[in-house]
């Protein structure tokens, strides 16, 4: 399919240049964070834990405390101070916080030391700098060294991948540049350019995905362990809903040697992400600045939890569902097949099809197309299947007393407007509620100020419905724990779509005439400046999967550590 040259060529050149810059950036500046299994430094501390419990440490690389990087150990009850060692990664750390057992008020810590891989003291923390909440008042940033025995190999692999991506981007750049007026740009070239640029950006944000794929959370504890269930496992629920993509990935990976499992999981997760980027740039969707709208899929800040793992690939699938609903009804067999496959695959992966059905109804009533009504009927059938799965999985009942609404509104503002404009990063202020409400007001003003016209006309109401439905779903799941939305990284997945839609709103404002264009440009510039520290994501730690894969292949029972730290699963073996 050929796209309008006046918009597409300029956008494609911009997207390809961004991808090329991302590849060259990774080539010149390899990521300075733990990879290759290395946590070469140690935080040594004396802990008093009369009733025992979990002790951990979390740290801030400059973009806020990241819960996905917490390191924990379990202490036995003791009435004396006991020295424990908690691993610390390489890199520049600007903040440290001890996580003490919360089951006893007498738990305390003292005599904190930072050691390198050889046991040499890099920093001695005075007891007066250790606050009651566990925060350590660092007088200067900690520049913790890497372990050169491991780091060299990781950098080499990153640079090889960066060179390959840069070469591919150069080829695409030349091909797009040569397509001058009036030569149209083929659809395959446009899709390849956007997909490759998105891959280069994704690589620059988390190179470990390409050089050392790893299991993440439910990838191992649920889907890998359930792989032997065969195709019957496709209908097993996870988190009260069907999860077709990860279940099918596990079933297919089971046909290959165990060693390849994390690689195949990462390939599928990456493919879903890139498919969302390509779909966002489709002329049938018609978003403004389509190539940049596609790249927004991989440029959203705080994507650590959902990137490159099949357990959370459903969030990119939810974006695809929303884009299918906003597209013009398919014309011809190929487009119909694509939309049908997207609805079936991602309608059976996560509960999002339930939120998408009203959008399919809205499109069918606007277009009066037979195909649109057929796709609505298909979406409704899939929603019924997901609802039946939810009802049959014994969902957690809602509490009898509903908590106050204000903390959840503040949490929504913190994770949307607060994230975009960077005025409320962890560690939190004493009273985060007013700042969260301010973030919500800013986020609401964006929706009120910037138009977003696509192929189906103004789509702000449709996207607002999807964003609100997803956030409310997250709040209902953690109804008794509103504080988690302020403190943890593991549930920011519920705000991926609202942040992605905000990026599209900025592009819609840039396409609008008058003062709104300049306001959108100012807001977009502020968002980039405030979130540049979030560009690179914490890498997955290489936990040496081949060693464990060999034991699993030989039928040996073994405990397998996976990402995030402190997660593991027990492979029962066959002996």
């Amino acid at each position: 399919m050929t796209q309008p040259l006046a918009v597409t060529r300029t956008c494609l050149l911009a997207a390809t240049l961004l991808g090329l810059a991302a590849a060259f950036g990774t080539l010149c500046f390899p990521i300075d964070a733990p990879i290759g299994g290395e946590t070469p430094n140690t935080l040594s501390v004396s802990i008093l834990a009369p009733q025992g419990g979990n002790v951990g440490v979390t740290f801030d690389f400059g973009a806020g405390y990241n819960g996905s990087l917490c390191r924990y150990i379990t202490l036995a009850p003791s009435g004396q101070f006991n020295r424990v060692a908690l691993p610390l990664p390489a890199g520049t750390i600007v903040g440290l916080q001890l996580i003490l057992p919360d089951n006893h008020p007498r738990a305390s810590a003292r005599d904190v030391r930072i050691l390198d891989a050889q046991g040499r003291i890099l920093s001695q923390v005075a007891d007066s700098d250790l606050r009651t909440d566990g925060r350590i008042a660092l007088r200067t940033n900690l520049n913790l060294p890497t372990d050169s025995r491991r780091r060299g190999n990781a950098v080499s692999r990153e640079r090889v991948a960066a060179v390959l991506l840069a070469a591919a981007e150069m080829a695409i750049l030349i091909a797009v540049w040569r397509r001058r007026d009036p030569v149209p740009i083929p659809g395959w070239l446009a899709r390849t350019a956007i997909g490759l640029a998105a891959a280069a950006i994704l690589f620059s944000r988390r190179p470990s995905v390409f050089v050392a794929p790893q299991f993440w959370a439910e990838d191992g504890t649920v889907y890998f362990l359930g792989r032997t269930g065969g195709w019957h496992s496709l209908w097993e629920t996870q988190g009260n809903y069907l999860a077709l993509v990860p279940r099918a990935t596990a079933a297919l990976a089971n046909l290959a040697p165990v060693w390849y499992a994390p690689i195949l999981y990462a390939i599928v997760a990456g493919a879903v992400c890139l498919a969302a980027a390509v779909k966002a740039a489709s002329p049938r969707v018609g978003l403004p600045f389509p190539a940049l709208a596609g790249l927004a899929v991989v440029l959203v800040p705080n994507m650590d939890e959902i990137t490159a793992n099949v357990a959370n690939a459903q969030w990119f699938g939810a974006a695809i569902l929303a884009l299918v609903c906003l597209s013009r009804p398919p014309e011809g067999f190929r487009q119909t097949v694509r939309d049908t496959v997207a609805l079936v695959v991602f309608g059976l992966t996560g509960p999002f099809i339930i939120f998408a059905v009203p959008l399919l109804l809205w499109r069918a009533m606007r277009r009066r197309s037979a195909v649109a009504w057929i796709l609505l009927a298909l979406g409704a059938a899939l929603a019924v299947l997901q609802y039946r799965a939810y009802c049959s999985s014994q969902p957690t009942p809602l509490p009898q007393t509903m908590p106050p609404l204000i903390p959840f509104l503040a949490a929504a503002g913190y994770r949307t407007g607060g994230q975009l404009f960077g005025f409320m990063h962890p560690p939190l202020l004493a009273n985060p509620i007013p700042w969260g409400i301010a973030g919500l007001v800013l986020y609401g003003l964006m929706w009120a100020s910037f138009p977003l016209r696509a192929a189906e006309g103004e789509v702000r109401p449709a996207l607002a419905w999807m964003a609100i439905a997803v956030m409310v779903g997250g709040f209902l799941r953690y109804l008794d724990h509103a504080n988690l939305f302020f403190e943890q990284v593991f549930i920011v997945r519920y705000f991926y779509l609202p942040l992605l839609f905000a990026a599209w709103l900025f592009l819609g404002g840039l396409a609008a005439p008058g003062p709104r264009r300049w306001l959108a440009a100012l807001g977009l510039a502020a968002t980039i400046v405030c979130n540049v520290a979030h560009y690179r994501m914490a890498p997955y730690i290489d936990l040496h999967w081949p060693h464990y894969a060999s034991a699993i292949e030989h039928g040996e029972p073994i405990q397998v550590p996976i990402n995030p730290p402190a997660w593991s699963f027990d492979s029962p073996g066959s002996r």
Side-chain angles (χ1 to χ4, degrees):
M1 177 179 297
T2 299
Q3 304 177 21
L5 178 62
V7 174
T8 303
R9 182 172 181 270
T10 303
C11 283
L12 284 182
L13 286 173
T16 305
L17 287 173
L18 283 174
L20 188 61
F24 271 115
T26 310
L27 178 63
C28 299
F29 304 101
I31 191 166
D32 188 19
I35 193 171
E38 59 164 306
T39 49
N41 308 291
T42 303
L43 185 145
S44 176
V45 57
S46 293
I47 299 289
L48 174 65
Q51 294 188 0
N54 292 327
V55 176
V57 60
T58 184
F59 30 85
D60 180 4
F61 281 117
Y65 285 92
N66 191 334
S68 67
L69 297 177
C70 290
R71 270 71 169 161
Y72 290 98
I73 63 171
T74 301
L75 293 182
S78 174
Q80 300 178 342
F81 279 90
N82 294 293
R83 182 159 292 278
V84 299
L86 297 165
L88 288 176
T92 300
I93 294 178
V94 302
L96 279 172
Q97 180 178 6
L98 283 172
I99 302 173
L100 301 176
D102 57 3
N103 58 0
H104 198 282
R106 290 180 56 197
S108 59
R110 69 184 184 189
D111 191 15
V112 178
R113 307 170 189 173
I114 311 297
L115 311 176
D116 66 8
Q118 285 73 43
R120 295 171 298 196
I121 297 178
L122 300 175
S123 178
Q124 177 80 46
V125 179
D127 289 344
S128 59
D129 290 337
L130 183 59
R131 301 171 184 170
T132 55
D133 62 355
R135 298 239 171 93
I136 298 172
L138 297 178
R139 301 182 183 274
T140 60
N141 293 344
L142 288 174
N143 296 306
L144 301 183
T146 61
D147 186 343
S148 58
R149 294 169 297 179
R150 295 190 181 276
R151 185 60 190 159
N153 292 332
V155 171
S156 298
R157 293 196 299 269
E158 287 178 18
R159 285 180 169 158
V160 169
V163 167
L164 295 175
L165 281 171
E169 286 289 357
M170 284 296 298
I172 292 294
L173 182 63
I174 293 171
V176 174
W177 182 260
R178 294 177 61 185
R179 295 279 176 170
R180 294 183 179 275
D181 216 355
V183 179
I185 296 181
W188 68 266
L189 180 57
R191 289 189 289 270
T192 302
I194 295 165
L196 187 60
I201 291 172
L202 193 64
F203 168 71
S204 70
R205 298 193 69 183
R206 183 174 266 171
S208 61
V209 171
F210 289 70
V211 301
Q214 302 290 313
F215 282 140
W216 172 271
E218 289 85 357
D219 286 358
T221 61
V222 175
Y223 303 119
F224 181 78
L225 285 181
R227 71 195 188 282
T228 57
W231 300 110
H232 297 290
S233 65
L234 298 183
W235 300 102
E236 295 180 9
T237 59
Q238 165 59 24
N240 306 127
Y241 50 78
L242 299 173
L244 176 63
V245 168
R247 292 287 188 190
T249 301
L252 288 171
N254 194 43
L255 302 177
V258 172
W259 187 88
Y260 293 99
I263 299 174
L264 296 174
Y265 283 38
I267 289 173
V268 171
V272 174
C273 177
L274 299 184
V278 172
K279 181 61 178 176
S282 168
R284 287 181 55 213
V285 178
L287 291 173
F289 303 101
L292 300 182
L295 295 190
V297 171
V298 294
L299 284 170
V300 171
N302 216 351
M303 289 171 52
D304 298 59
E305 185 185 13
I306 67 172
T307 302
N309 59 81
V310 292
N312 288 308
Q314 64 185 26
W315 296 96
F316 298 107
I320 294 176
L321 281 179
L323 292 166
V324 168
C325 296
L326 300 181
S327 302
R328 291 193 303 267
E331 299 175 358
F333 178 76
R334 293 176 63 184
Q335 292 183 0
T336 303
V337 169
R338 289 175 185 171
D339 282 12
T340 301
V341 170
L343 278 180
V344 172
V345 171
F346 300 112
L348 294 177
T349 304
F352 308 103
I353 188 64
I354 297 174
F355 310 143
V357 166
L359 304 186
L360 291 170
L361 176 62
W362 167 76
R363 183 180 70 170
M365 295 180 67
R366 281 172 58 93
R367 284 288 183 168
R368 306 287 182 178
S369 163
V371 177
W373 286 105
I374 292 172
L375 292 177
L376 169 62
L378 175 61
L382 296 171
V384 170
L385 288 177
Q386 286 288 9
Y387 179 72
R388 287 176 59 87
Y390 174 80
C391 294
S392 64
S393 60
Q394 299 180 346
T396 303
L398 296 176
Q400 295 181 351
T401 304
M402 298 298 289
L405 180 62
I406 294 298
F408 291 98
L409 293 177
Y414 166 56
R415 291 298 185 185
T416 54
Q419 175 74 65
L420 290 172
F421 298 105
F423 56 79
M424 195 179 160
H425 292 313
L428 295 175
L429 303 174
N431 184 12
I433 300 298
W435 291 93
I437 296 298
L440 187 62
V441 170
L442 282 175
Y443 188 65
L445 287 175
M446 290 178 55
W447 285 90
S449 302
F450 303 139
L452 186 56
R453 298 193 63 82
E456 288 293 287
E458 178 60 62
V459 295
R460 276 182 297 175
L463 292 182
W465 155 254
M466 197 77 172
I468 292 171
V470 169
M471 287 192 288
V472 170
F475 292 147
L476 289 176
R477 185 160 188 171
Y478 296 93
L479 201 56
D480 288 331
H481 306 285
N483 61 300
L484 293 180
F485 291 95
F486 293 99
E487 299 174 358
Q488 298 292 333
V489 72
F490 299 124
I491 51 178
V492 297
R493 58 188 180 272
Y494 295 103
F495 304 95
Y496 171 74
L497 289 181
L499 291 175
L500 175 61
F501 298 162
W504 292 345
L505 283 173
F506 280 131
L507 296 178
L510 290 175
R516 287 181 295 184
R517 174 179 300 176
W518 300 106
L519 183 61
L522 180 63
L524 183 59
T527 298
I528 293 173
V529 170
C530 293
N531 288 278
V532 67
H534 294 272
Y535 179 77
R536 279 192 159 169
M537 295 179 278
Y540 291 168
I541 295 176
D542 186 354
L543 296 169
H544 309 294
W545 167 252
H547 165 73
Y548 300 97
S550 176
I552 294 172
E553 287 276 18
H554 288 86
E556 301 174 8
I558 191 171
Q559 184 180 65
V560 183
I562 59 175
N563 286 273
W567 280 64
S568 64
F569 65 87
D570 293 315
S571 178
S574 58
R575 293 182 179 179

